[in-house]
Amino acid sequence: MNAIDSERFFWGAPTSNANFCETDYAVSRYIAEFVNSLTNVVYSKILERM
């Protein structure tokens, strides 16, 4: 990882050629796909209560 990538992307530059639903690192440099991460947390919390 070079200096530019480490400043912009915490986990390194995106390496995938496909980007499906949302722009990577748009909200935070720590979360590549914010909405995807948020919905996964919500689903996990729902399943914990079952």
Side-chain angles (χ1 to χ4, degrees), residues 11-31:
W11 302 107
T15 57
S16 176
N17 292 329
N19 194 355
F20 295 100
C21 297
E22 60 185 299
T23 305
D24 291 342
Y25 301 103
V27 176
S28 170
R29 67 176 258 193
Y30 301 104
I31 302 172

Side-chain angles (χ1 to χ4, degrees), residues 1-13 29:
M1 177 168 32
N2 63 36
I4 294 171
D5 291 342
S6 64
E7 290 174 9
R8 187 166 175 208
F9 310 111
F10 183 78
W11 302 107
R29 67 176 258 193

Side-chain angles (χ1 to χ4, degrees), residues 24-40:
D24 291 342
Y25 301 103
V27 176
S28 170
R29 67 176 258 193
Y30 301 104
I31 302 172
E33 293 182 344
F34 184 79
V35 174
N36 184 27
S37 299
L38 182 63
T39 57
N40 285 329

